[in-house]
């Protein structure tokens, strides 16, 4: 594994490269730490050059403590792709959770760097039939964090500080990242116009969750396949082998000549 850094818009973005083959960028959600993809990246590295990176102000990457900017996050992802493979500057992209929201933004506005796209459990709450209630709940989580702290706010989400590499990462997620992602709506029409092959996915273990409902609606809007991957929202952590097999199968089906 090789570790590299690219300077972009005032941040040093640290990324890791594993394996050989077509470039595959994995965009992390839940705070943006690359370490959560380590098992999945190892499983895929026989067939791909896998890129994992710490999003700005996460893990080893730097950046100012400013409001979360989805467009900037997408530009960061493009900068990592161009740095990792400057000759072609294109990659297969997989995004999970909030990383899926970034992946949609990347495909919609910088399609030249994306060859194929798989998005797993991206929230897109505004697409849901009960969107007002879902969005109100998201604001409740943010208010709970402000008034009572990270632990009770994460409990509302079915998460805990143990899901993050350090307490500061959980605080940053709740303070800066969670609500902007929850309130964002991907420009699916723009994604569809690019012609990029897309699959949306959710965990088989949480097919009734709002993320899975959103993934099915995303597929309808995009006229693309919806699939279920092993595990739940974090199936790539709990079942990296089966998850990697399922992802590789979908990527093979999407591959453009």
């Amino acid at each position: 594994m090789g570790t590299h850094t690219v300077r972009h818009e005032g941040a040093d973005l640290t990324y890791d490269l594993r394996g050989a083959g077509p470039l595959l960028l994995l965009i992390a959600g839940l705070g943006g730490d690359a370490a959560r993809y380590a098992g999945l990246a190892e499983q895929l590295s026989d067939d791909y050059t896998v890129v994992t990176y710490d999003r700005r102000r996460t893990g080893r990457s730097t950046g100012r403590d400013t409001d979360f900017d989805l467009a900037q996050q997408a530009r960061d992802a493009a900068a990592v792709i161009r740095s990792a493979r400057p000759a072609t500057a294109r990659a297969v992209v997989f995004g999970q959770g909030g990383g899926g929201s970034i992946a949609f933004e990347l495909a919609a506005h910088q399609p030249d760097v994306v060859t194929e796209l798989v998005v797993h459990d991206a929230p897109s709450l505004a697409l849901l039939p009960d969107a007002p209630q879902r969005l109100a709940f998201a604001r409740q989580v943010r208010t709970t964090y402000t008034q009572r702290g990270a632990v009770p706010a994460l409990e509302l989400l079915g998460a805990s500080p143990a899901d993050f590499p350090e307490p500061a990462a959980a605080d940053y997620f709740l303070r800066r990242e969670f609500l902007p992602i929850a309130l964002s709506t991907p420009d699916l029409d723009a994604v569809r116009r690019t012609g990029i092959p897309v699959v949306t996915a959710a965990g088989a273990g949480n097919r009734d969750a709002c993320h899975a409902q959103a993934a099915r609606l995303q597929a309808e809007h995009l006229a693309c396949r919806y699939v279920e991957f092993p595990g739940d929202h974090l199936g790539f952590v709990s079942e990296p082998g089966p998850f990697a097999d399922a992802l590789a199968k979908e990527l093979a089906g999407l591959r453009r000549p």
Side-chain angles (χ1 to χ4, degrees), residues 104 119 124 127 188 192 198-201 211-227:
F104 275 140
V119 174
S124 303
L127 298 179
L188 298 177
R192 186 170 179 175
V198 184
V199 163
T200 69
H211 296 84
Q213 296 174 46
R216 290 190 288 270
L217 290 170
Q218 292 157 8
E220 289 181 17
H221 280 267
L222 292 165
C224 72
R225 274 171 51 77
Y226 162 79
V227 300

mmCIF file with all atom_site columns, all heavy atoms in Angstrom, residues 104 119 124 127 188 192 198-201 211-227:
data_model
loop_
_atom_site.group_PDB
_atom_site.id
_atom_site.type_symbol
_atom_site.label_atom_id
_atom_site.label_alt_id
_atom_site.label_comp_id
_atom_site.label_asym_id
_atom_site.label_entity_id
_atom_site.label_seq_id
_atom_site.pdbx_PDB_ins_code
_atom_site.Cartn_x
_atom_site.Cartn_y
_atom_site.Cartn_z
_atom_site.occupancy
_atom_site.B_iso_or_equiv
_atom_site.pdbx_formal_charge
_atom_site.auth_seq_id
_atom_site.auth_comp_id
_atom_site.auth_asym_id
_atom_site.auth_atom_id
_atom_site.pdbx_PDB_model_num
ATOM 1   N N   . PHE A 1 104 ? -22.814 11.122 -5.940  1.00 0.00 ? 104 PHE A N   1
ATOM 2   C CA  . PHE A 1 104 ? -23.826 11.669 -6.848  1.00 0.00 ? 104 PHE A CA  1
ATOM 3   C C   . PHE A 1 104 ? -23.432 13.079 -7.297  1.00 0.00 ? 104 PHE A C   1
ATOM 4   O O   . PHE A 1 104 ? -23.568 13.433 -8.475  1.00 0.00 ? 104 PHE A O   1
ATOM 5   C CB  . PHE A 1 104 ? -25.194 11.716 -6.167  1.00 0.00 ? 104 PHE A CB  1
ATOM 6   C CG  . PHE A 1 104 ? -25.983 10.442 -6.238  1.00 0.00 ? 104 PHE A CG  1
ATOM 7   C CD1 . PHE A 1 104 ? -26.713 10.002 -5.141  1.00 0.00 ? 104 PHE A CD1 1
ATOM 8   C CD2 . PHE A 1 104 ? -26.041 9.697  -7.410  1.00 0.00 ? 104 PHE A CD2 1
ATOM 9   C CE1 . PHE A 1 104 ? -27.471 8.832  -5.203  1.00 0.00 ? 104 PHE A CE1 1
ATOM 10  C CE2 . PHE A 1 104 ? -26.796 8.525  -7.483  1.00 0.00 ? 104 PHE A CE2 1
ATOM 11  C CZ  . PHE A 1 104 ? -27.516 8.096  -6.376  1.00 0.00 ? 104 PHE A CZ  1
ATOM 12  N N   . VAL A 1 119 ? -23.754 3.491  -5.755  1.00 0.00 ? 119 VAL A N   1
ATOM 13  C CA  . VAL A 1 119 ? -24.060 4.283  -4.560  1.00 0.00 ? 119 VAL A CA  1
ATOM 14  C C   . VAL A 1 119 ? -24.865 3.418  -3.598  1.00 0.00 ? 119 VAL A C   1
ATOM 15  O O   . VAL A 1 119 ? -25.913 2.881  -3.960  1.00 0.00 ? 119 VAL A O   1
ATOM 16  C CB  . VAL A 1 119 ? -24.849 5.553  -4.931  1.00 0.00 ? 119 VAL A CB  1
ATOM 17  C CG1 . VAL A 1 119 ? -25.292 6.284  -3.674  1.00 0.00 ? 119 VAL A CG1 1
ATOM 18  C CG2 . VAL A 1 119 ? -24.000 6.465  -5.808  1.00 0.00 ? 119 VAL A CG2 1
ATOM 19  N N   . SER A 1 124 ? -30.741 10.860 0.788   1.00 0.00 ? 124 SER A N   1
ATOM 20  C CA  . SER A 1 124 ? -31.749 11.471 -0.107  1.00 0.00 ? 124 SER A CA  1
ATOM 21  C C   . SER A 1 124 ? -33.134 11.500 0.543   1.00 0.00 ? 124 SER A C   1
ATOM 22  O O   . SER A 1 124 ? -34.140 11.094 -0.045  1.00 0.00 ? 124 SER A O   1
ATOM 23  C CB  . SER A 1 124 ? -31.819 10.694 -1.434  1.00 0.00 ? 124 SER A CB  1
ATOM 24  O OG  . SER A 1 124 ? -30.574 10.641 -2.071  1.00 0.00 ? 124 SER A OG  1
ATOM 25  N N   . LEU A 1 127 ? -36.535 12.683 -1.061  1.00 0.00 ? 127 LEU A N   1
ATOM 26  C CA  . LEU A 1 127 ? -37.227 11.883 -2.067  1.00 0.00 ? 127 LEU A CA  1
ATOM 27  C C   . LEU A 1 127 ? -38.320 11.009 -1.468  1.00 0.00 ? 127 LEU A C   1
ATOM 28  O O   . LEU A 1 127 ? -39.183 10.512 -2.192  1.00 0.00 ? 127 LEU A O   1
ATOM 29  C CB  . LEU A 1 127 ? -36.229 10.981 -2.800  1.00 0.00 ? 127 LEU A CB  1
ATOM 30  C CG  . LEU A 1 127 ? -35.103 11.641 -3.591  1.00 0.00 ? 127 LEU A CG  1
ATOM 31  C CD1 . LEU A 1 127 ? -34.225 10.569 -4.215  1.00 0.00 ? 127 LEU A CD1 1
ATOM 32  C CD2 . LEU A 1 127 ? -35.655 12.576 -4.659  1.00 0.00 ? 127 LEU A CD2 1
ATOM 33  N N   . LEU A 1 188 ? -30.422 14.029 -9.651  1.00 0.00 ? 188 LEU A N   1
ATOM 34  C CA  . LEU A 1 188 ? -30.462 12.764 -10.371 1.00 0.00 ? 188 LEU A CA  1
ATOM 35  C C   . LEU A 1 188 ? -30.690 12.965 -11.869 1.00 0.00 ? 188 LEU A C   1
ATOM 36  O O   . LEU A 1 188 ? -30.223 12.159 -12.684 1.00 0.00 ? 188 LEU A O   1
ATOM 37  C CB  . LEU A 1 188 ? -31.532 11.855 -9.774  1.00 0.00 ? 188 LEU A CB  1
ATOM 38  C CG  . LEU A 1 188 ? -31.311 11.471 -8.303  1.00 0.00 ? 188 LEU A CG  1
ATOM 39  C CD1 . LEU A 1 188 ? -32.467 10.625 -7.801  1.00 0.00 ? 188 LEU A CD1 1
ATOM 40  C CD2 . LEU A 1 188 ? -29.988 10.728 -8.120  1.00 0.00 ? 188 LEU A CD2 1
ATOM 41  N N   . ARG A 1 192 ? -28.320 11.355 -14.670 1.00 0.00 ? 192 ARG A N   1
ATOM 42  C CA  . ARG A 1 192 ? -28.839 10.541 -15.775 1.00 0.00 ? 192 ARG A CA  1
ATOM 43  C C   . ARG A 1 192 ? -28.376 11.083 -17.127 1.00 0.00 ? 192 ARG A C   1
ATOM 44  O O   . ARG A 1 192 ? -28.035 10.310 -18.033 1.00 0.00 ? 192 ARG A O   1
ATOM 45  C CB  . ARG A 1 192 ? -30.364 10.488 -15.708 1.00 0.00 ? 192 ARG A CB  1
ATOM 46  C CG  . ARG A 1 192 ? -30.986 9.544  -16.718 1.00 0.00 ? 192 ARG A CG  1
ATOM 47  C CD  . ARG A 1 192 ? -32.465 9.336  -16.456 1.00 0.00 ? 192 ARG A CD  1
ATOM 48  N NE  . ARG A 1 192 ? -33.063 8.438  -17.441 1.00 0.00 ? 192 ARG A NE  1
ATOM 49  C CZ  . ARG A 1 192 ? -34.313 8.000  -17.412 1.00 0.00 ? 192 ARG A CZ  1
ATOM 50  N NH1 . ARG A 1 192 ? -35.106 8.376  -16.418 1.00 0.00 ? 192 ARG A NH1 1
ATOM 51  N NH2 . ARG A 1 192 ? -34.784 7.195  -18.346 1.00 0.00 ? 192 ARG A NH2 1
ATOM 52  N N   . VAL A 1 198 ? -24.954 3.449  -13.701 1.00 0.00 ? 198 VAL A N   1
ATOM 53  C CA  . VAL A 1 198 ? -25.150 3.586  -12.259 1.00 0.00 ? 198 VAL A CA  1
ATOM 54  C C   . VAL A 1 198 ? -25.902 2.382  -11.716 1.00 0.00 ? 198 VAL A C   1
ATOM 55  O O   . VAL A 1 198 ? -26.796 1.837  -12.379 1.00 0.00 ? 198 VAL A O   1
ATOM 56  C CB  . VAL A 1 198 ? -25.961 4.861  -11.922 1.00 0.00 ? 198 VAL A CB  1
ATOM 57  C CG1 . VAL A 1 198 ? -26.066 5.048  -10.409 1.00 0.00 ? 198 VAL A CG1 1
ATOM 58  C CG2 . VAL A 1 198 ? -25.350 6.093  -12.568 1.00 0.00 ? 198 VAL A CG2 1
ATOM 59  N N   . VAL A 1 199 ? -25.556 1.981  -10.507 1.00 0.00 ? 199 VAL A N   1
ATOM 60  C CA  . VAL A 1 199 ? -26.343 1.052  -9.704  1.00 0.00 ? 199 VAL A CA  1
ATOM 61  C C   . VAL A 1 199 ? -26.550 1.699  -8.341  1.00 0.00 ? 199 VAL A C   1
ATOM 62  O O   . VAL A 1 199 ? -25.609 2.273  -7.773  1.00 0.00 ? 199 VAL A O   1
ATOM 63  C CB  . VAL A 1 199 ? -25.637 -0.306 -9.532  1.00 0.00 ? 199 VAL A CB  1
ATOM 64  C CG1 . VAL A 1 199 ? -26.232 -1.098 -8.376  1.00 0.00 ? 199 VAL A CG1 1
ATOM 65  C CG2 . VAL A 1 199 ? -25.728 -1.126 -10.807 1.00 0.00 ? 199 VAL A CG2 1
ATOM 66  N N   . THR A 1 200 ? -27.772 1.653  -7.828  1.00 0.00 ? 200 THR A N   1
ATOM 67  C CA  . THR A 1 200 ? -27.992 2.050  -6.439  1.00 0.00 ? 200 THR A CA  1
ATOM 68  C C   . THR A 1 200 ? -28.207 0.789  -5.612  1.00 0.00 ? 200 THR A C   1
ATOM 69  O O   . THR A 1 200 ? -28.707 -0.224 -6.120  1.00 0.00 ? 200 THR A O   1
ATOM 70  C CB  . THR A 1 200 ? -29.188 3.000  -6.281  1.00 0.00 ? 200 THR A CB  1
ATOM 71  O OG1 . THR A 1 200 ? -30.406 2.294  -6.540  1.00 0.00 ? 200 THR A OG1 1
ATOM 72  C CG2 . THR A 1 200 ? -29.062 4.186  -7.231  1.00 0.00 ? 200 THR A CG2 1
ATOM 73  N N   . ALA A 1 201 ? -27.816 0.859  -4.353  1.00 0.00 ? 201 ALA A N   1
ATOM 74  C CA  . ALA A 1 201 ? -27.813 -0.352 -3.528  1.00 0.00 ? 201 ALA A CA  1
ATOM 75  C C   . ALA A 1 201 ? -28.150 -0.017 -2.084  1.00 0.00 ? 201 ALA A C   1
ATOM 76  O O   . ALA A 1 201 ? -28.036 1.126  -1.640  1.00 0.00 ? 201 ALA A O   1
ATOM 77  C CB  . ALA A 1 201 ? -26.444 -1.025 -3.597  1.00 0.00 ? 201 ALA A CB  1
ATOM 78  N N   . HIS A 1 211 ? -32.774 4.629  4.204   1.00 0.00 ? 211 HIS A N   1
ATOM 79  C CA  . HIS A 1 211 ? -31.716 4.632  3.199   1.00 0.00 ? 211 HIS A CA  1
ATOM 80  C C   . HIS A 1 211 ? -32.048 3.688  2.041   1.00 0.00 ? 211 HIS A C   1
ATOM 81  O O   . HIS A 1 211 ? -31.822 4.012  0.872   1.00 0.00 ? 211 HIS A O   1
ATOM 82  C CB  . HIS A 1 211 ? -30.378 4.191  3.821   1.00 0.00 ? 211 HIS A CB  1
ATOM 83  C CG  . HIS A 1 211 ? -29.870 5.108  4.872   1.00 0.00 ? 211 HIS A CG  1
ATOM 84  N ND1 . HIS A 1 211 ? -30.295 5.033  6.173   1.00 0.00 ? 211 HIS A ND1 1
ATOM 85  C CD2 . HIS A 1 211 ? -28.973 6.123  4.826   1.00 0.00 ? 211 HIS A CD2 1
ATOM 86  C CE1 . HIS A 1 211 ? -29.680 5.957  6.887   1.00 0.00 ? 211 HIS A CE1 1
ATOM 87  N NE2 . HIS A 1 211 ? -28.878 6.644  6.100   1.00 0.00 ? 211 HIS A NE2 1
ATOM 88  N N   . ALA A 1 212 ? -32.604 2.514  2.387   1.00 0.00 ? 212 ALA A N   1
ATOM 89  C CA  . ALA A 1 212 ? -32.957 1.552  1.352   1.00 0.00 ? 212 ALA A CA  1
ATOM 90  C C   . ALA A 1 212 ? -34.130 2.055  0.515   1.00 0.00 ? 212 ALA A C   1
ATOM 91  O O   . ALA A 1 212 ? -34.150 1.892  -0.712  1.00 0.00 ? 212 ALA A O   1
ATOM 92  C CB  . ALA A 1 212 ? -33.297 0.204  1.980   1.00 0.00 ? 212 ALA A CB  1
ATOM 93  N N   . GLN A 1 213 ? -35.109 2.675  1.177   1.00 0.00 ? 213 GLN A N   1
ATOM 94  C CA  . GLN A 1 213 ? -36.216 3.265  0.429   1.00 0.00 ? 213 GLN A CA  1
ATOM 95  C C   . GLN A 1 213 ? -35.700 4.319  -0.540  1.00 0.00 ? 213 GLN A C   1
ATOM 96  O O   . GLN A 1 213 ? -36.135 4.386  -1.701  1.00 0.00 ? 213 GLN A O   1
ATOM 97  C CB  . GLN A 1 213 ? -37.221 3.885  1.404   1.00 0.00 ? 213 GLN A CB  1
ATOM 98  C CG  . GLN A 1 213 ? -37.913 2.886  2.325   1.00 0.00 ? 213 GLN A CG  1
ATOM 99  C CD  . GLN A 1 213 ? -38.781 3.603  3.347   1.00 0.00 ? 213 GLN A CD  1
ATOM 100 O OE1 . GLN A 1 213 ? -39.524 4.515  3.011   1.00 0.00 ? 213 GLN A OE1 1
ATOM 101 N NE2 . GLN A 1 213 ? -38.676 3.204  4.605   1.00 0.00 ? 213 GLN A NE2 1
ATOM 102 N N   . ALA A 1 214 ? -34.778 5.140  -0.070  1.00 0.00 ? 214 ALA A N   1
ATOM 103 C CA  . ALA A 1 214 ? -34.206 6.172  -0.924  1.00 0.00 ? 214 ALA A CA  1
ATOM 104 C C   . ALA A 1 214 ? -33.459 5.564  -2.100  1.00 0.00 ? 214 ALA A C   1
ATOM 105 O O   . ALA A 1 214 ? -33.551 6.059  -3.233  1.00 0.00 ? 214 ALA A O   1
ATOM 106 C CB  . ALA A 1 214 ? -33.278 7.072  -0.114  1.00 0.00 ? 214 ALA A CB  1
ATOM 107 N N   . ALA A 1 215 ? -32.719 4.475  -1.855  1.00 0.00 ? 215 ALA A N   1
ATOM 108 C CA  . ALA A 1 215 ? -31.966 3.835  -2.939  1.00 0.00 ? 215 ALA A CA  1
ATOM 109 C C   . ALA A 1 215 ? -32.898 3.314  -4.022  1.00 0.00 ? 215 ALA A C   1
ATOM 110 O O   . ALA A 1 215 ? -32.584 3.394  -5.223  1.00 0.00 ? 215 ALA A O   1
ATOM 111 C CB  . ALA A 1 215 ? -31.109 2.705  -2.376  1.00 0.00 ? 215 ALA A CB  1
ATOM 112 N N   . ARG A 1 216 ? -34.053 2.769  -3.616  1.00 0.00 ? 216 ARG A N   1
ATOM 113 C CA  . ARG A 1 216 ? -35.003 2.284  -4.616  1.00 0.00 ? 216 ARG A CA  1
ATOM 114 C C   . ARG A 1 216 ? -35.588 3.443  -5.427  1.00 0.00 ? 216 ARG A C   1
ATOM 115 O O   . ARG A 1 216 ? -35.770 3.334  -6.654  1.00 0.00 ? 216 ARG A O   1
ATOM 116 C CB  . ARG A 1 216 ? -36.108 1.477  -3.922  1.00 0.00 ? 216 ARG A CB  1
ATOM 117 C CG  . ARG A 1 216 ? -35.614 0.145  -3.366  1.00 0.00 ? 216 ARG A CG  1
ATOM 118 C CD  . ARG A 1 216 ? -36.756 -0.735 -2.899  1.00 0.00 ? 216 ARG A CD  1
ATOM 119 N NE  . ARG A 1 216 ? -37.379 -0.268 -1.671  1.00 0.00 ? 216 ARG A NE  1
ATOM 120 C CZ  . ARG A 1 216 ? -36.996 -0.624 -0.444  1.00 0.00 ? 216 ARG A CZ  1
ATOM 121 N NH1 . ARG A 1 216 ? -35.964 -1.447 -0.293  1.00 0.00 ? 216 ARG A NH1 1
ATOM 122 N NH2 . ARG A 1 216 ? -37.636 -0.185 0.631   1.00 0.00 ? 216 ARG A NH2 1
ATOM 123 N N   . LEU A 1 217 ? -35.865 4.563  -4.772  1.00 0.00 ? 217 LEU A N   1
ATOM 124 C CA  . LEU A 1 217 ? -36.388 5.725  -5.478  1.00 0.00 ? 217 LEU A CA  1
ATOM 125 C C   . LEU A 1 217 ? -35.332 6.341  -6.388  1.00 0.00 ? 217 LEU A C   1
ATOM 126 O O   . LEU A 1 217 ? -35.636 6.806  -7.496  1.00 0.00 ? 217 LEU A O   1
ATOM 127 C CB  . LEU A 1 217 ? -36.896 6.761  -4.473  1.00 0.00 ? 217 LEU A CB  1
ATOM 128 C CG  . LEU A 1 217 ? -38.163 6.362  -3.719  1.00 0.00 ? 217 LEU A CG  1
ATOM 129 C CD1 . LEU A 1 217 ? -38.444 7.327  -2.575  1.00 0.00 ? 217 LEU A CD1 1
ATOM 130 C CD2 . LEU A 1 217 ? -39.354 6.315  -4.673  1.00 0.00 ? 217 LEU A CD2 1
ATOM 131 N N   . GLN A 1 218 ? -34.084 6.348  -5.933  1.00 0.00 ? 218 GLN A N   1
ATOM 132 C CA  . GLN A 1 218 ? -32.995 6.824  -6.793  1.00 0.00 ? 218 GLN A CA  1
ATOM 133 C C   . GLN A 1 218 ? -32.926 5.997  -8.068  1.00 0.00 ? 218 GLN A C   1
ATOM 134 O O   . GLN A 1 218 ? -32.766 6.544  -9.173  1.00 0.00 ? 218 GLN A O   1
ATOM 135 C CB  . GLN A 1 218 ? -31.656 6.738  -6.043  1.00 0.00 ? 218 GLN A CB  1
ATOM 136 C CG  . GLN A 1 218 ? -31.517 7.697  -4.883  1.00 0.00 ? 218 GLN A CG  1
ATOM 137 C CD  . GLN A 1 218 ? -30.488 7.223  -3.866  1.00 0.00 ? 218 GLN A CD  1
ATOM 138 O OE1 . GLN A 1 218 ? -29.771 6.249  -4.095  1.00 0.00 ? 218 GLN A OE1 1
ATOM 139 N NE2 . GLN A 1 218 ? -30.410 7.904  -2.743  1.00 0.00 ? 218 GLN A NE2 1
ATOM 140 N N   . ALA A 1 219 ? -33.054 4.678  -7.930  1.00 0.00 ? 219 ALA A N   1
ATOM 141 C CA  . ALA A 1 219 ? -33.008 3.801  -9.094  1.00 0.00 ? 219 ALA A CA  1
ATOM 142 C C   . ALA A 1 219 ? -34.150 4.096  -10.057 1.00 0.00 ? 219 ALA A C   1
ATOM 143 O O   . ALA A 1 219 ? -33.964 4.078  -11.287 1.00 0.00 ? 219 ALA A O   1
ATOM 144 C CB  . ALA A 1 219 ? -33.041 2.337  -8.656  1.00 0.00 ? 219 ALA A CB  1
ATOM 145 N N   . GLU A 1 220 ? -35.333 4.367  -9.515  1.00 0.00 ? 220 GLU A N   1
ATOM 146 C CA  . GLU A 1 220 ? -36.460 4.721  -10.379 1.00 0.00 ? 220 GLU A CA  1
ATOM 147 C C   . GLU A 1 220 ? -36.170 5.995  -11.163 1.00 0.00 ? 220 GLU A C   1
ATOM 148 O O   . GLU A 1 220 ? -36.413 6.073  -12.370 1.00 0.00 ? 220 GLU A O   1
ATOM 149 C CB  . GLU A 1 220 ? -37.724 4.900  -9.537  1.00 0.00 ? 220 GLU A CB  1
ATOM 150 C CG  . GLU A 1 220 ? -38.287 3.604  -8.965  1.00 0.00 ? 220 GLU A CG  1
ATOM 151 C CD  . GLU A 1 220 ? -39.556 3.845  -8.162  1.00 0.00 ? 220 GLU A CD  1
ATOM 152 O OE1 . GLU A 1 220 ? -40.151 4.941  -8.324  1.00 0.00 ? 220 GLU A OE1 1
ATOM 153 O OE2 . GLU A 1 220 ? -39.937 2.963  -7.367  1.00 0.00 ? 220 GLU A OE2 1
ATOM 154 N N   . HIS A 1 221 ? -35.650 7.000  -10.484 1.00 0.00 ? 221 HIS A N   1
ATOM 155 C CA  . HIS A 1 221 ? -35.338 8.276  -11.143 1.00 0.00 ? 221 HIS A CA  1
ATOM 156 C C   . HIS A 1 221 ? -34.259 8.092  -12.210 1.00 0.00 ? 221 HIS A C   1
ATOM 157 O O   . HIS A 1 221 ? -34.310 8.743  -13.266 1.00 0.00 ? 221 HIS A O   1
ATOM 158 C CB  . HIS A 1 221 ? -34.872 9.304  -10.112 1.00 0.00 ? 221 HIS A CB  1
ATOM 159 C CG  . HIS A 1 221 ? -35.981 9.960  -9.351  1.00 0.00 ? 221 HIS A CG  1
ATOM 160 N ND1 . HIS A 1 221 ? -36.558 11.149 -9.729  1.00 0.00 ? 221 HIS A ND1 1
ATOM 161 C CD2 . HIS A 1 221 ? -36.623 9.591  -8.224  1.00 0.00 ? 221 HIS A CD2 1
ATOM 162 C CE1 . HIS A 1 221 ? -37.499 11.480 -8.873  1.00 0.00 ? 221 HIS A CE1 1
ATOM 163 N NE2 . HIS A 1 221 ? -37.566 10.551 -7.946  1.00 0.00 ? 221 HIS A NE2 1
ATOM 164 N N   . LEU A 1 222 ? -33.299 7.231  -11.922 1.00 0.00 ? 222 LEU A N   1
ATOM 165 C CA  . LEU A 1 222 ? -32.162 7.051  -12.829 1.00 0.00 ? 222 LEU A CA  1
ATOM 166 C C   . LEU A 1 222 ? -32.411 5.974  -13.878 1.00 0.00 ? 222 LEU A C   1
ATOM 167 O O   . LEU A 1 222 ? -31.597 5.806  -14.782 1.00 0.00 ? 222 LEU A O   1
ATOM 168 C CB  . LEU A 1 222 ? -30.913 6.682  -12.017 1.00 0.00 ? 222 LEU A CB  1
ATOM 169 C CG  . LEU A 1 222 ? -30.354 7.784  -11.119 1.00 0.00 ? 222 LEU A CG  1
ATOM 170 C CD1 . LEU A 1 222 ? -29.369 7.195  -10.114 1.00 0.00 ? 222 LEU A CD1 1
ATOM 171 C CD2 . LEU A 1 222 ? -29.682 8.866  -11.948 1.00 0.00 ? 222 LEU A CD2 1
ATOM 172 N N   . ALA A 1 223 ? -33.515 5.244  -13.746 1.00 0.00 ? 223 ALA A N   1
ATOM 173 C CA  . ALA A 1 223 ? -33.798 4.104  -14.626 1.00 0.00 ? 223 ALA A CA  1
ATOM 174 C C   . ALA A 1 223 ? -32.616 3.133  -14.631 1.00 0.00 ? 223 ALA A C   1
ATOM 175 O O   . ALA A 1 223 ? -32.155 2.669  -15.670 1.00 0.00 ? 223 ALA A O   1
ATOM 176 C CB  . ALA A 1 223 ? -34.097 4.579  -16.049 1.00 0.00 ? 223 ALA A CB  1
ATOM 177 N N   . CYS A 1 224 ? -32.147 2.823  -13.425 1.00 0.00 ? 224 CYS A N   1
ATOM 178 C CA  . CYS A 1 224 ? -31.005 1.922  -13.289 1.00 0.00 ? 224 CYS A CA  1
ATOM 179 C C   . CYS A 1 224 ? -31.366 0.782  -12.343 1.00 0.00 ? 224 CYS A C   1
ATOM 180 O O   . CYS A 1 224 ? -32.460 0.744  -11.770 1.00 0.00 ? 224 CYS A O   1
ATOM 181 C CB  . CYS A 1 224 ? -29.779 2.679  -12.766 1.00 0.00 ? 224 CYS A CB  1
ATOM 182 S SG  . CYS A 1 224 ? -29.881 3.161  -11.023 1.00 0.00 ? 224 CYS A SG  1
ATOM 183 N N   . ARG A 1 225 ? -30.445 -0.154 -12.166 1.00 0.00 ? 225 ARG A N   1
ATOM 184 C CA  . ARG A 1 225 ? -30.649 -1.287 -11.272 1.00 0.00 ? 225 ARG A CA  1
ATOM 185 C C   . ARG A 1 225 ? -30.567 -0.871 -9.807  1.00 0.00 ? 225 ARG A C   1
ATOM 186 O O   . ARG A 1 225 ? -29.732 -0.046 -9.434  1.00 0.00 ? 225 ARG A O   1
ATOM 187 C CB  . ARG A 1 225 ? -29.597 -2.371 -11.533 1.00 0.00 ? 225 ARG A CB  1
ATOM 188 C CG  . ARG A 1 225 ? -29.975 -3.330 -12.628 1.00 0.00 ? 225 ARG A CG  1
ATOM 189 C CD  . ARG A 1 225 ? -28.826 -4.248 -13.013 1.00 0.00 ? 225 ARG A CD  1
ATOM 190 N NE  . ARG A 1 225 ? -28.188 -4.940 -11.897 1.00 0.00 ? 225 ARG A NE  1
ATOM 191 C CZ  . ARG A 1 225 ? -28.686 -5.993 -11.266 1.00 0.00 ? 225 ARG A CZ  1
ATOM 192 N NH1 . ARG A 1 225 ? -29.855 -6.488 -11.634 1.00 0.00 ? 225 ARG A NH1 1
ATOM 193 N NH2 . ARG A 1 225 ? -28.022 -6.573 -10.286 1.00 0.00 ? 225 ARG A NH2 1
ATOM 194 N N   . TYR A 1 226 ? -31.422 -1.484 -8.999  1.00 0.00 ? 226 TYR A N   1
ATOM 195 C CA  . TYR A 1 226 ? -31.303 -1.427 -7.551  1.00 0.00 ? 226 TYR A CA  1
ATOM 196 C C   . TYR A 1 226 ? -30.956 -2.824 -7.082  1.00 0.00 ? 226 TYR A C   1
ATOM 197 O O   . TYR A 1 226 ? -31.582 -3.811 -7.501  1.00 0.00 ? 226 TYR A O   1
ATOM 198 C CB  . TYR A 1 226 ? -32.616 -0.969 -6.914  1.00 0.00 ? 226 TYR A CB  1
ATOM 199 C CG  . TYR A 1 226 ? -32.708 -1.306 -5.433  1.00 0.00 ? 226 TYR A CG  1
ATOM 200 C CD1 . TYR A 1 226 ? -32.063 -0.520 -4.491  1.00 0.00 ? 226 TYR A CD1 1
ATOM 201 C CD2 . TYR A 1 226 ? -33.406 -2.437 -4.990  1.00 0.00 ? 226 TYR A CD2 1
ATOM 202 C CE1 . TYR A 1 226 ? -32.125 -0.828 -3.141  1.00 0.00 ? 226 TYR A CE1 1
ATOM 203 C CE2 . TYR A 1 226 ? -33.487 -2.752 -3.644  1.00 0.00 ? 226 TYR A CE2 1
ATOM 204 C CZ  . TYR A 1 226 ? -32.841 -1.946 -2.723  1.00 0.00 ? 226 TYR A CZ  1
ATOM 205 O OH  . TYR A 1 226 ? -32.896 -2.270 -1.383  1.00 0.00 ? 226 TYR A OH  1
ATOM 206 N N   . VAL A 1 227 ? -29.952 -2.941 -6.218  1.00 0.00 ? 227 VAL A N   1
ATOM 207 C CA  . VAL A 1 227 ? -29.534 -4.254 -5.722  1.00 0.00 ? 227 VAL A CA  1
ATOM 208 C C   . VAL A 1 227 ? -29.367 -4.191 -4.208  1.00 0.00 ? 227 VAL A C   1
ATOM 209 O O   . VAL A 1 227 ? -29.256 -3.110 -3.621  1.00 0.00 ? 227 VAL A O   1
ATOM 210 C CB  . VAL A 1 227 ? -28.204 -4.719 -6.371  1.00 0.00 ? 227 VAL A CB  1
ATOM 211 C CG1 . VAL A 1 227 ? -28.354 -4.824 -7.877  1.00 0.00 ? 227 VAL A CG1 1
ATOM 212 C CG2 . VAL A 1 227 ? -27.052 -3.783 -6.025  1.00 0.00 ? 227 VAL A CG2 1
#
